[in-house]
Amino acid sequence: MHQQAFNAGVEQAIMSEQSSASKAAPPTSSNGRQEPNGFPSGMNPDDNFVQIVDVVKKFGETTAVRGVNLSVKKGELFALLGSSGCGKSTLLRMLAGLESVTEGQILIDGEDLAQLPPYNRPVNMMFQSYALFPHMSVESNVAFGLKQEGVKGGELSDSVNNALELVQMAKFAKRKPHQLSGGQQQRVALARSLVKRPKLLLLDEPMSALDKQIRQRTQIELVNILDQVGVTCIMVTHDQEEAMTMANRLAVMSEGQIVQLGSPHQVYEYPNSRFSASFIGSTNLFDGRVVEDEPDHIFVESPDLPVRLYVNHGITGPLGMPVTISVRPERIALMRKLPEGAYNWGRGKITNIAYMGGYTLYHVTLDSGKVVVANLSSLAIGEIDSPTFDDEVYVRWSASAGVVLTS
């Protein structure tokens, strides 16, 4: 390893392992429970354990984060999801204290941390590169932060052993990082981050160095470990499946702002914009205009289809308003015969087939030229006699499958 790269790794590790300074205990209420500073009376601090308030970050003339407001619950695993350059990593680094805040506040457990240096924050960060010391054993890597605090003897060894047992790495305690697999190195980095019981754990693309099969297995293992510890965790990822699998809630970011916030189910099933619908998973988008709007349904005319689109709920807006209807590929069925009804179908030819193992993606080019993607299981394919290239088919979906997007 080049000395410069080694030094950079050491600096990263030191920043992630610095201890939080001891602080005076917050005042207690009449029932003996501690009342964290910074929370108004009657507010549940567990629901606002981490607060990001009107946070702005500028690099010269460039604004990387634009007035972000976010609350994370105690014990929650929260994901910041977005493409490169959206501001998610900058936000994470501000939480860690590795970047200063241009405007706004960051609070953890009711305490404003915006002016505190990294080594005084009750926060640990697990870097994408893991930043393990290559010349140290596994147990020495995990013990490093505690030694910096002055922990010694039995307390040190017990804490290290407990952390390694938690991540199932105790039997590798004497090995060096280069003797471990990528997944094992990640576990060591996690043990080192958790050994001092931080109030907040930050994960920067935690699975990016692992291949897909190991990554999928490790995602579940990591969630189980974090649940055991009960630590509050904020992770940054560009991997949609990773965020959907691991997070209790997630925020989709674009151009320095949060564009949608909710549970994985809410964000996937009910996107609030074309961006969210297209970024989380894949979808089919039909542009059109509202021609009928009732409390229990709307009709939309689209140049993409020979019939109207029908959605089984009303919206707020004038007739003629431009909208987009989002329909997920797994909600679309293929048929050989003309569908019944005068809405939510189109005719076309199969122009591409992508076999994905458990399911198959069919690309159907409609008569209008619009390409619609349908996700079919092996059972569904068998029921329509295994369609293939250039077969003429109909695409069809239910009234509850479409989501109306107005932006």
Side-chain angles (χ1 to χ4, degrees), residues 334-355:
L334 295 189
M335 305 176 68
R336 295 282 190 177
K337 297 180 180 179
L338 178 69
E340 297 180 359
Y343 54 81
N344 292 356
W345 62 263
R347 185 184 65 182
K349 288 186 177 182
I350 296 173
T351 51
N352 194 21
I353 301 173
Y355 177 68

Side-chain angles (χ1 to χ4, degrees), residues 242-320:
E242 186 169 287
M244 302 278 282
T245 300
M246 297 179 64
N248 303 114
R249 288 189 304 144
L250 58 87
V252 181
M253 292 192 67
S254 177
E255 297 181 350
Q257 296 177 307
I258 293 175
V259 296
Q260 187 164 4
L261 175 67
S263 69
H265 178 267
Q266 290 169 335
V267 174
Y268 184 82
E269 296 292 346
Y270 307 105
N272 62 2
S273 65
R274 291 177 65 105
F275 178 85
S276 290
S278 299
F279 187 79
I280 302 294
S282 59
T283 193
N284 299 287
L285 299 175
F286 300 94
D287 294 323
R289 293 187 176 274
V290 177
V291 293
E292 184 176 321
D293 184 10
E294 299 294 337
D296 62 344
H297 72 271
I298 65 167
F299 279 107
V300 175
E301 285 187 350
S302 171
D304 297 327
L305 299 171
V307 295
R308 293 176 171 183
L309 293 113
Y310 172 58
V311 180
N312 64 353
H313 63 78
I315 63 172
T316 301
L319 292 181

Side-chain angles (χ1 to χ4, degrees), residues 95-114:
L95 281 161
L98 303 179
E99 295 287 355
S100 61
V101 176
T102 305
E103 297 175 22
Q105 286 183 299
I106 295 177
L107 300 97
I108 298 177
D109 204 9
E111 182 178 12
D112 189 350
L113 302 184

Side-chain angles (χ1 to χ4, degrees), residues 40-295:
S41 176
M43 179 182 289
N44 183 0
D46 285 358
D47 290 339
N48 299 275
F49 188 71
V50 179
Q51 290 180 289
I52 298 170
V53 184
D54 296 328
V55 166
V56 174
K57 177 60 181 177
K58 294 182 179 180
F59 296 98
E61 298 298 318
T62 301
T63 303
V65 175
R66 303 171 181 271
V68 168
N69 287 278
L70 177 65
S71 292
V72 177
K73 299 177 182 179
K74 188 173 186 178
E76 187 173 31
L77 201 169
F78 190 93
L80 296 170
L81 179 64
S83 55
S84 297
C86 72
K88 61 186 187 299
S89 293
T90 300
L91 193 56
L92 199 75
R93 290 175 64 82
M94 285 192 287
L95 281 161
L98 303 179
E99 295 287 355
S100 61
V101 176
T102 305
E103 297 175 22
Q105 286 183 299
I106 295 177
L107 300 97
I108 298 177
D109 204 9
E111 182 178 12
D112 189 350
L113 302 184
Q115 303 304 319
L116 287 181
Y119 51 83
N120 276 348
R121 298 189 179 202
V123 176
N124 265 2
M125 184 168 180
M126 195 174 96
F127 291 94
Q128 182 176 351
S129 63
Y130 308 146
L132 298 175
F133 295 102
H135 63 289
M136 290 184 182
S137 66
V138 165
E139 63 182 0
S140 295
N141 266 282
V142 175
F144 179 82
L146 293 177
K147 287 182 177 179
Q148 294 295 105
E149 283 188 336
V151 179
K152 300 177 182 178
E155 183 183 356
L156 176 64
S157 60
D158 287 347
S159 296
V160 172
N161 289 337
N162 289 338
L164 290 176
E165 287 286 353
L166 180 67
V167 299
Q168 301 176 11
M169 288 296 293
K171 63 183 178 180
F172 301 108
K174 302 300 181 182
R175 290 192 182 183
K176 299 289 181 63
H178 73 271
Q179 297 173 311
L180 305 175
S181 68
Q184 290 170 334
Q185 289 181 30
Q186 185 205 50
R187 288 172 181 239
V188 175
L190 180 61
R192 190 180 62 183
S193 296
L194 293 175
V195 71
K196 298 191 318 171
R197 302 287 177 167
K199 287 185 176 181
L200 177 64
L201 176 64
L202 305 176
L203 303 178
D204 183 13
E205 301 279 4
M207 309 292 172
S208 62
L210 306 178
D211 62 52
K212 185 173 183 179
Q213 188 173 12
I214 295 175
R215 184 164 66 242
Q216 291 175 335
R217 183 175 69 248
T218 305
Q219 287 168 359
I220 303 301
E221 293 174 349
L222 179 56
V223 169
N224 290 337
I225 290 170
L226 295 176
D227 282 344
Q228 289 181 51
V229 177
V231 68
T232 305
C233 180
I234 298 178
M235 62 179 286
V236 155
T237 181
H238 67 275
D239 188 319
Q240 303 157 27
E241 289 186 9
E242 186 169 287
M244 302 278 282
T245 300
M246 297 179 64
N248 303 114
R249 288 189 304 144
L250 58 87
V252 181
M253 292 192 67
S254 177
E255 297 181 350
Q257 296 177 307
I258 293 175
V259 296
Q260 187 164 4
L261 175 67
S263 69
H265 178 267
Q266 290 169 335
V267 174
Y268 184 82
E269 296 292 346
Y270 307 105
N272 62 2
S273 65
R274 291 177 65 105
F275 178 85
S276 290
S278 299
F279 187 79
I280 302 294
S282 59
T283 193
N284 299 287
L285 299 175
F286 300 94
D287 294 323
R289 293 187 176 274
V290 177
V291 293
E292 184 176 321
D293 184 10
E294 299 294 337

Side-chain angles (χ1 to χ4, degrees), residues 1-12 132-135:
M1 173 180 288
H2 294 298
Q3 188 64 35
Q4 184 177 3
F6 171 78
N7 289 339
V10 170
E11 289 173 3
Q12 269 194 329
L132 298 175
F133 295 102
H135 63 289

